[in-house]
Amino acid sequence: MKHMNKPVILTGLRANNNLHIGNYLGALLPIIDMARKRAGEYQVNLFVPDLHSFTTPIDHSALQAAIMQNLRVFVAAGLPLDNPDVHVYRQSYIPSHSELTWILDCFTGMGEMNRMTQFKDKAGKSQEQVSVGLFNYPVLMAADILLHRASYVPVGEDQTQHLEFTRDIAERLNNRFGELFVVPKPVQEQHKFFGKDQGLRIRDLQEPSKKMSKSEDSRRGIIYLTDTPGQAHKKIMSAETDSLGKVAYDAGTQPGISNLLTLLALISGRTLDDVQNEYEGRTQYGPLKTALADTMAEFLQDFQDKLAKVDEKSILNKLSVSEKQMNEQAGQVLLSVQKAVGLRE
Ligand code: TYM
């Protein structure tokens, strides 16, 4: 397969909850932009990490529907299914992901996983027993990336540490066994590739000191892609800001206002500079909120119109083609690892 030699851009979005605007802007929009603008130059893999869905407890009877909903969201967001360089798949349909995870587990230190801040956050918060799956899910994520030889992995800032671990484990095995893996580009280079100067962290509208997160309970602070335009409008108009009374971009002292500026830039497709030039120094927060609330409502209306029209049959067709091709692609990398560690001749 000739097109399999192109550099790979890859990302995945978990399916256990409604996707929100942070997921959309942090991962989905960058990869879809690439799939549309640079088609032909890259292989683009967008997948549903279904095995990642129950690192924390979920309602398993709802998982199939959630997976399909994620796939529909990918298409509504503009993923070109008819492009042969674009691949869409479910992780668990490619058993090499689990197999490589086990092998990588045996080369990963407990200390390395213990240092993952996301694990510490989630484990600290959870009242339930913490699973081994939650502890070592960055290893599964590394396998997701390395099996497909991905160079570029658009993710939000919360996943940066996992990406760095992926580079570490790839280099560790390459040093020991020869060139098994393509090492993903350093994080700074990735930002440059996706036209950013740093990792994206959309903040909760009610608690701007925290990231917008699907595991949070504060639903008023989260804009879901399935919120009605009216609901989203209201959430933005009642977003928490500060009492400084002057619009400025400074995530340290004015996280709420900085978040609104970032959101307005990204949703309207403008640069942050441009938005800052328009609003910075103003003493009223209302006009910024109104501009964002209107733009967001319009965006959601358009997105949901597209979502309602998504044809599931075309998704199922694409899945069956991609999953076959990706099994083959991942199988080749897995075999070279199996040989290196002595599992195969
Ligand atoms: P997940 O499903 O939690 O989130 C999906 C993507 O959304 C990004 N994101 C954000 N970006 C900006 N601001 C926010 N507030 C925000 N919240 C979430 C996440 O950084 C992520 O990019 N482990 C991954 C899924 C995964 C994966 C992979 C990603 C599994 N295997 C391989 C890339 C490559 C996760 O749990 O993301």
Side-chain angles (χ1 to χ4, degrees):
M1 277 180 276
K2 223 168 101 216
H3 62 273
M4 296 283 172
N5 294 327
K6 296 177 179 174
V8 177
I9 310 174
L10 170 149
T11 202
L13 291 96
R14 275 183 306 147
N16 30 333
N17 248 318
N18 269 343
L19 293 177
H20 55 68
I21 203 75
N23 301 133
Y24 174 78
L25 296 171
L28 201 49
L29 187 61
I31 199 166
I32 287 177
D33 260 358
M34 284 293 166
R36 295 173 75 89
K37 291 186 191 142
R38 317 269 304 253
E41 284 174 70
Y42 295 93
Q43 178 185 319
V44 174
N45 286 22
L46 181 53
F47 74 103
V48 180
D50 50 357
L51 293 169
H52 280 91
S53 302
F54 40 92
T55 52
T56 51
I58 61 160
D59 171 5
H60 291 262
S61 67
L63 185 53
Q64 277 301 309
I67 291 168
M68 186 41 82
Q69 171 69 359
N70 258 34
L71 293 162
R72 293 173 69 237
V73 165
F74 296 172
V75 176
L79 187 74
L81 286 185
D82 52 358
N83 183 328
D85 288 323
V86 169
H87 302 281
V88 185
Y89 51 95
R90 294 157 292 187
Q91 179 188 40
S92 73
Y93 282 69
I94 303 173
S96 314
H97 288 240
S98 314
E99 292 191 38
L100 181 62
T101 300
W102 176 257
I103 298 175
L104 297 182
D105 270 343
C106 298
F107 292 89
T108 301
M110 290 288 286
E112 272 181 303
M113 289 299 99
N114 259 325
R115 282 195 295 277
M116 295 290 143
T117 52
Q118 204 181 54
F119 168 72
K120 286 197 269 193
D121 279 0
K122 284 197 189 174
K125 247 186 273 165
S126 171
Q127 298 306 309
E128 317 277 337
Q129 206 185 345
V130 174
S131 72
V132 175
L134 179 65
F135 180 68
N136 86 330
Y137 102 94
V139 182
L140 177 57
M141 180 165 164
D144 297 336
I145 296 169
L146 299 175
L147 276 174
H148 298 280
R149 302 180 172 279
S151 298
Y152 298 102
V153 185
V155 285
E157 191 254 353
D158 60 310
Q159 298 292 326
T160 302
Q161 209 184 8
H162 301 159
L163 210 53
E164 280 169 346
F165 165 71
T166 304
R167 285 174 43 78
D168 289 347
I169 186 96
E171 278 168 356
R172 185 174 311 154
L173 269 78
N174 282 355
N175 287 337
R176 172 125 181 229
F177 297 106
E179 293 301 302
L180 294 175
F181 299 122
V182 169
V183 182
K185 302 283 185 207
V187 172
Q188 279 312 323
E189 234 177 276
Q190 304 236 9
H191 291 337
K192 228 168 100 195
F193 181 77
F194 292 107
K196 307 185 289 184
D197 49 10
Q198 57 182 5
L200 187 68
R201 180 189 183 89
I202 298 296
R203 294 159 183 280
D204 187 285
L205 295 174
Q206 286 302 316
E207 288 184 73
S209 59
K210 298 201 304 197
K211 71 163 183 170
M212 193 179 280
S213 162
K214 48 189 167 188
S215 6
E216 290 300 327
D217 304 325
S218 100
R219 300 187 156 258
R220 286 195 317 132
I222 306 172
I223 302 210
Y224 294 102
L225 291 174
T226 48
D227 278 350
T228 64
Q231 283 169 328
H233 201 280
K234 234 181 177 157
K235 287 180 184 177
I236 291 169
M237 293 311 290
S238 58
E240 192 61 35
T241 50
D242 54 61
S243 51
L244 296 176
K246 200 167 176 190
V247 175
Y249 188 91
D250 183 336
T253 56
Q254 295 191 268
I257 287 294
S258 305
N259 196 37
L260 300 180
L261 290 166
T262 303
L263 280 168
L264 181 57
L266 289 168
I267 292 291
S268 57
R270 293 163 65 187
T271 63
L272 185 57
D273 275 351
D274 188 28
V275 171
Q276 275 178 269
N277 283 341
E278 184 176 349
Y279 290 95
E280 258 189 359
R282 292 214 200 175
T283 52
Q284 304 274 326
Y285 294 162
L288 170 61
K289 281 188 171 179
T290 307
L292 176 59
D294 291 349
T295 312
M296 186 70 77
E298 225 174 275
F299 161 77
L300 286 176
Q301 186 63 58
D302 177 59
F303 176 80
Q304 287 165 13
D305 288 348
K306 289 182 179 140
L307 192 60
K309 290 195 199 114
V310 169
D311 167 26
E312 280 192 15
K313 231 166 80 199
S314 65
I315 296 179
L316 294 173
N317 288 340
K318 184 74 179 182
L319 285 176
S320 78
V321 175
S322 290
E323 283 166 359
K324 187 165 176 291
Q325 287 178 328
M326 293 303 101
N327 259 305
E328 216 173 284
Q329 174 171 277
Q332 286 171 11
V333 174
L334 179 65
L335 182 61
S336 68
V337 177
Q338 289 172 320
K339 284 182 180 165
V341 300
L343 291 169
R344 295 285 184 278
E345 283 276 343

